[in-house]
Amino acid sequence: MLSRRAILAGLAATPLIGTGAFAAGPLSVVATTGMIADAARAIGGDLVTVQALMGPGVDPHGYRQTRSDIVAMTRADLLLWNGLYLEAQLEHFIETLSKRVPVAAVAEATPKDQLLHHADYENRPDPHVWMAPQLWHHTVAAIRDAMIAQRPENAAVFAANADIYLAEVDRVGTYASKMTEQVPDQARVLVTAHDAFGYFGRQFGFEVMGIQGISTDSEAGLLRIRTLVDEIVTREIGAVFVESSVSDRNIRALIEGAAAQGHDVKIGGELFSDAMGEPGSYEGTYVGMIDHNVSVIAGALGADVPTGGMDGKLSHGV
């Protein structure tokens, strides 16, 4: 079997199947994350086939392409990826692939003045733009435009489907605003495993504290954990949150540290940060992901959240 290095080296010389103007049938789209794949499926309908490389529980910050990923990407008509250094380990491969396959870093359509930055990540903005439904509009528009560029004859369908999808994005954003407005001022602190919720916090008015930085590649030092423990105890924060794609080890350390100082803090629930729920489930859609996160966060921090979330569709209630 060929190694990944050998396949990568051969990209520039190997003719690819099903790309460009010679593609037949549905547009073949490969998306790195589930959030991008969900939007692409909604926009494309039966005019596209969409494969997501990263499934539930997968951390995109450290993800490395497999041999099957390489085959899928090289045969695609269009590769959609987040960019903004989210898929850090894939960047070199995608840069090489872009010489042969149409590629779009869709989150980089976000206006630069709306991106958040962290002092520890020079020239690398926070990539988690999907956490704010308002910002997600820019990424959805970029996905739509990338698909139209490959199949201009389907432009009207892609545009109409994108409008329908964005109406649902707005609806879950409105629900999020209503639920989070109920959280008392003193409880509007969101403590998570890594700093994935900055855009969520900005849109809905939460102070966000991540144990790790905006990338899970960063290490959570003992000093950072001690500092957060002191914050939790001093401010009497009652709930912290684990993430489906990040180990709960550091969150457990916070809970134990607070307990050692006589403060009881609970796990408010599991949030979807860098990956969505199981394929085929409501939480496996973008709207379901946001509905789940909002309902869990607001419910754990004092809001009266409807059972089952926005439309009663959440798998395990709230």
Side-chain angles (χ1 to χ4, degrees), residues 39-293:
R41 291 189 185 103
I43 293 167
D46 59 7
L47 297 176
V48 304
T49 61
V50 180
Q51 176 181 342
L53 297 184
M54 305 177 200
V58 175
D59 175 8
H61 298 281
Y63 185 84
R64 294 179 181 274
Q65 70 271 16
T66 65
R67 289 185 177 88
S68 61
D69 292 340
I70 292 170
V71 171
M73 286 189 279
T74 56
R75 290 180 175 175
D77 298 321
L78 175 64
L79 172 63
L80 301 173
W81 64 306
N82 191 83
L84 300 178
Y85 208 66
L86 177 72
E87 307 96 329
Q89 307 304 319
L90 297 181
E91 285 206 343
H92 177 61
F93 177 81
I94 292 175
E95 180 182 355
T96 303
L97 184 67
S98 68
K99 297 170 182 154
R100 301 288 297 177
V101 174
V103 167
V106 290
E108 294 183 5
T110 308
K112 288 183 171 53
D113 64 355
Q114 295 184 38
L115 292 171
L116 294 174
H117 296 265
H118 193 287
D120 293 341
Y121 299 89
E122 187 176 359
N123 298 322
R124 295 178 186 172
D126 185 340
H128 304 91
V129 295
W130 59 89
M131 287 299 183
Q134 286 178 347
L135 281 189
W136 192 235
H137 270 251
H138 301 291
T139 301
V140 172
I143 294 168
R144 176 201 64 205
D145 293 346
M147 292 167 65
I148 288 174
Q150 298 310 307
R151 294 291 171 86
E153 66 273 20
N154 296 325
V157 174
F158 293 157
N161 287 347
D163 288 344
I164 293 169
Y165 183 77
L166 287 173
E168 285 299 289
V169 171
D170 287 340
R171 193 166 73 89
V172 77
T174 298
Y175 169 78
S177 294
K178 289 179 179 177
M179 292 302 103
T180 55
E181 283 170 0
Q182 297 181 36
V183 176
D185 289 345
Q186 69 274 15
R188 303 181 72 83
V189 182
L190 181 58
V191 181
T192 58
H194 88 296
D195 232 343
F197 289 82
Y199 295 109
F200 177 95
R202 184 175 68 181
Q203 181 169 345
F204 300 112
F206 284 78
E207 180 181 356
V208 177
M209 300 180 184
I211 302 174
Q212 291 173 274
I214 59 175
S215 171
T216 56
D217 284 344
S218 63
E219 290 294 330
L222 290 176
L223 179 59
R224 175 62 175 166
I225 292 175
R226 289 196 196 103
T227 299
L228 282 179
V229 166
D230 290 342
E231 286 276 344
I232 288 168
V233 173
T234 300
R235 299 171 64 173
E236 299 183 344
I237 295 170
V240 295
F241 299 86
V242 296
E243 300 173 36
S244 66
S245 56
V246 183
S247 169
D248 67 356
R249 178 180 67 253
N250 291 325
I251 288 291
R252 298 285 179 186
L254 287 186
I255 293 172
E256 292 169 6
Q261 295 188 36
H263 178 65
D264 181 29
V265 58
K266 66 179 181 179
I267 292 180
E270 182 182 66
L271 306 178
F272 297 114
S273 55
D274 291 345
M276 303 192 302
E278 292 295 327
S281 71
Y282 175 57
E283 291 85 350
T285 67
Y286 174 78
V287 168
M289 171 192 193
I290 299 299
D291 185 0
H292 169 91
N293 285 349

